[in-house]
Amino acid sequence: MANQTIPSLSYSYTAGAPYQLKQVPSSLVLGGMDLNRYYPHNTTFALDPDLNPVVSIDQVTITASPPPASSISDLWSGDKPYTLFGDSEPDLFTIDSTTPFLWLPETACTRLEDAFGIVYNEPLQLYLLNTTQQQTLANANITFTFDLSDYPGSPNSVSLQLSYNAFDLTLSYGFPGLETVFPQMDANSPRVPYLPVRKAANSTQYTIGRMFLQETYLIVDYQRNNFSISQAKFALDAIDNQALMDIDPPSSDVVTTTDQSSQGLSAGAWIATAIGVLVGLVALTLLICFFVFRRRALNRIRQGQPPDTVIDQYFTKWFADNRRQVFVAEMDNSKSEKPIEMGAGEVPELPTDFHQAIELPASEKYRGNCVVIPLGHDPQMLVELPSNVASLRTSSVSLEDVSPVSPVLSDYPARGSVHNGSWWRESTESTSPIFSPVELEKATTKPA
């Protein structure tokens, strides 16, 4: 570790024991171990498929030597240990430093309650103790012995011991759910003693938590897919007197990968990166040049200026051709300073061959005939019906033949006068028609 790199994919850890000596601190070493923090042995266990340290607890026993007057002295009369977890019921447990608790089967918890005379608190799911219970258990010299193996029935096994002090913990204000059990508790209230043991709902919750690692030392080697759990060593000079030793990786493992990562990218990667950057710069330059020359060409086209360079000539011609194809043609005003507009005195219309207005007849009898009124005719003047209208050449004309919209006498000039070749009949009624049917017949019938 002289070059400040981690030698291998491994670590070692112990949670520390604040109740031992002058508060022995925790220890975490990446890529190695501290030889002064544990008692070594040669037993190793295999990691599970998820690379978790999983062991089999074959048996857990409790020994104690309580004072004669203790309330629990009857349980340990003699040297026979009290079995908390029998060898006939081994099971796999995961070592997990992220939880402080020891998750045991319910049968083991029931035996613990019988041994210590304690009650499981369901809201907190912990064993709470009063001051008397705590003092009694602390003075009983209790020792827990864990027999661990690689898997149930494996010959690879190790025996580890924990003092009761590893279980003698306290809860402070702020612990989740504690205010529901002690409503009057606040930040100044005394701590509540408890045992860090919880009942597991099933085998998937069987866990050995951080309380177990207070007096044990865990070494995990991911590259060899194994780990070991040893008895921790307590010393006053645990911080100053360190004996760090690297855990070297296997000779054919990923040491070269670590070295390559420290050296950076390979030569091929550098070449590919350089080519990509160069291509990007060239593409960006061409794009900028295209927009610059395009702007110049469009300005020259608008101002009618000739191109200066060959490139300008090409772009001007190219954009001019495109403009002729795409844009609508307009009148050329480049030779005049004023805008060219159409004259305001003439009304532009589409050409037509008809120079006279055509009025359709007012009755179904005149279908196919028309009356032609010259352009510019005064609307106040009468129009004489032509003599070739078939319906007017009949021998008799009734009042029904007269159009109900015929003009009346009051709409025209003085009565009995001649106006533009048309004669007027005097009438005293403004609502009578100008021509009576008899007179109209006389005027339109040729003499025999």
Side-chain angles (χ1 to χ4, degrees):
M1 296 173 62
N3 58 355
Q4 303 300 317
T5 59
I6 299 176
S8 62
L9 301 178
S10 60
Y11 73 91
S12 59
Y13 173 72
T14 181
Y19 51 85
Q20 292 286 352
L21 302 176
K22 294 182 178 181
Q23 297 185 348
V24 178
S26 61
S27 174
L28 174 63
V29 180
L30 301 179
M33 66 194 84
D34 188 351
L35 299 178
N36 287 342
R37 298 302 301 267
Y38 72 100
Y39 295 96
H41 58 76
N42 296 326
T43 303
T44 60
F45 306 138
L47 297 172
D48 76 343
D50 295 327
L51 299 181
N52 295 317
V54 176
V55 297
S56 172
I57 297 182
D58 297 333
Q59 183 173 266
V60 178
T61 58
I62 303 175
T63 58
S65 55
S70 174
S71 59
I72 61 172
S73 58
D74 294 341
L75 294 176
W76 289 279
S77 56
D79 297 333
K80 185 178 180 180
Y82 181 82
T83 301
L84 190 65
F85 196 86
D87 54 4
S88 61
E89 47 189 354
D91 215 323
L92 296 176
F93 288 73
T94 301
I95 301 176
D96 187 359
S97 61
T98 63
T99 176
F101 309 117
L102 178 64
W103 300 72
L104 297 176
E106 188 171 359
T107 54
C109 292
T110 302
R111 294 168 188 163
L112 182 66
E113 296 169 4
D114 296 339
F116 292 163
I118 56 180
V119 178
Y120 192 70
N121 186 277
E122 291 294 342
L124 295 179
Q125 297 185 14
L126 292 172
Y127 288 100
L128 301 184
L129 306 177
N130 56 38
T131 304
T132 302
Q133 290 174 321
Q134 181 189 26
Q135 292 296 329
T136 300
L137 295 175
N139 295 329
N141 299 319
I142 299 174
T143 301
F144 293 81
T145 302
F146 289 78
D147 293 334
L148 308 179
S149 63
D150 195 5
Y151 53 87
S154 172
N156 291 338
S157 61
V158 62
S159 181
L160 303 174
Q161 293 184 342
L162 275 74
S163 66
Y164 173 78
N165 293 328
F167 292 81
D168 189 9
L169 303 181
T170 57
L171 297 174
S172 61
Y173 176 76
F175 185 83
L178 191 60
E179 67 278 2
T180 60
V181 180
F182 302 98
Q184 304 300 324
M185 189 174 186
D186 56 25
N188 299 321
S189 301
R191 291 172 175 266
V192 179
Y194 81 104
L195 296 181
V197 178
R198 277 187 168 173
K199 295 180 180 180
N202 49 59
S203 60
T204 61
Q205 291 185 342
Y206 293 169
T207 306
I208 299 174
R210 193 167 54 251
M211 53 79 54
F212 184 81
L213 295 174
Q214 292 179 109
E215 298 191 9
T216 58
Y217 195 84
L218 176 65
I219 302 173
V220 178
D221 187 351
Y222 291 109
Q223 292 174 263
R224 293 180 174 84
N225 196 42
N226 63 27
F227 70 98
S228 65
I229 184 77
S230 306
Q231 195 73 50
K233 183 188 295 185
F234 305 117
L236 292 173
D237 57 352
I239 297 178
D240 299 330
N241 186 18
Q242 296 179 352
L244 299 179
M245 186 179 74
D246 295 347
I247 299 178
D248 296 326
S251 57
S252 60
D253 216 327
V254 295
V255 178
T256 54
T257 304
T258 305
D259 294 340
Q260 288 178 357
S261 61
S262 62
Q263 293 175 1
L265 296 176
S266 63
W270 278 114
I271 294 174
T273 303
I275 293 175
V277 172
L278 181 61
V279 171
L281 291 176
V282 171
L284 180 61
T285 303
L286 292 176
L287 186 62
I288 293 174
C289 292
F290 173 79
F291 282 106
V292 170
F293 285 107
R294 175 181 178 274
R295 186 181 206 129
R296 291 176 56 180
L298 293 177
N299 289 337
R300 291 182 183 279
I301 293 172
R302 295 190 190 101
Q303 299 173 6
Q305 298 178 356
D308 294 337
T309 63
V310 176
I311 298 178
D312 286 341
Q313 182 178 0
Y314 171 78
F315 273 90
T316 301
K317 181 179 181 304
W318 189 78
F319 283 110
D321 293 342
N322 286 345
R323 284 170 65 87
R324 281 195 291 270
Q325 295 173 6
V326 176
F327 298 114
V328 178
E330 298 180 359
M331 300 181 65
D332 184 12
N333 64 348
S334 61
K335 298 181 180 180
S336 175
E337 297 179 357
K338 298 180 179 180
I340 298 176
E341 297 182 358
M342 299 182 67
E346 299 180 359
V347 179
E349 295 183 359
L350 293 175
T352 177
D353 295 333
F354 298 96
H355 301 284
Q356 294 177 328
I358 298 176
E359 182 179 351
L360 295 176
S363 175
E364 290 292 331
K365 294 182 179 181
Y366 309 124
R367 182 178 298 276
N369 300 294
C370 64
V371 178
V372 179
I373 302 175
L375 289 175
H377 176 71
D378 188 354
Q380 299 297 328
M381 296 172 56
L382 289 177
V383 178
E384 185 177 357
L385 294 176
S387 60
N388 59 351
V389 178
S391 60
L392 296 180
R393 291 198 298 267
T394 58
S395 58
S396 63
V397 180
S398 64
L399 290 176
E400 296 177 356
D401 296 323
V402 180
S403 172
V405 294
S406 298
V408 294
L409 183 62
S410 62
D411 296 331
Y412 295 94
R415 293 170 289 180
S417 61
V418 178
H419 184 76
N420 288 349
S422 298
W423 63 276
W424 298 81
R425 178 181 181 278
E426 294 185 6
S427 175
T428 59
E429 298 181 4
S430 61
T431 59
S432 62
I434 298 175
F435 303 104
S436 68
V438 177
E439 292 174 343
L440 184 60
E441 181 180 3
K442 292 178 182 181
T444 59
T445 304
K446 296 181 181 181

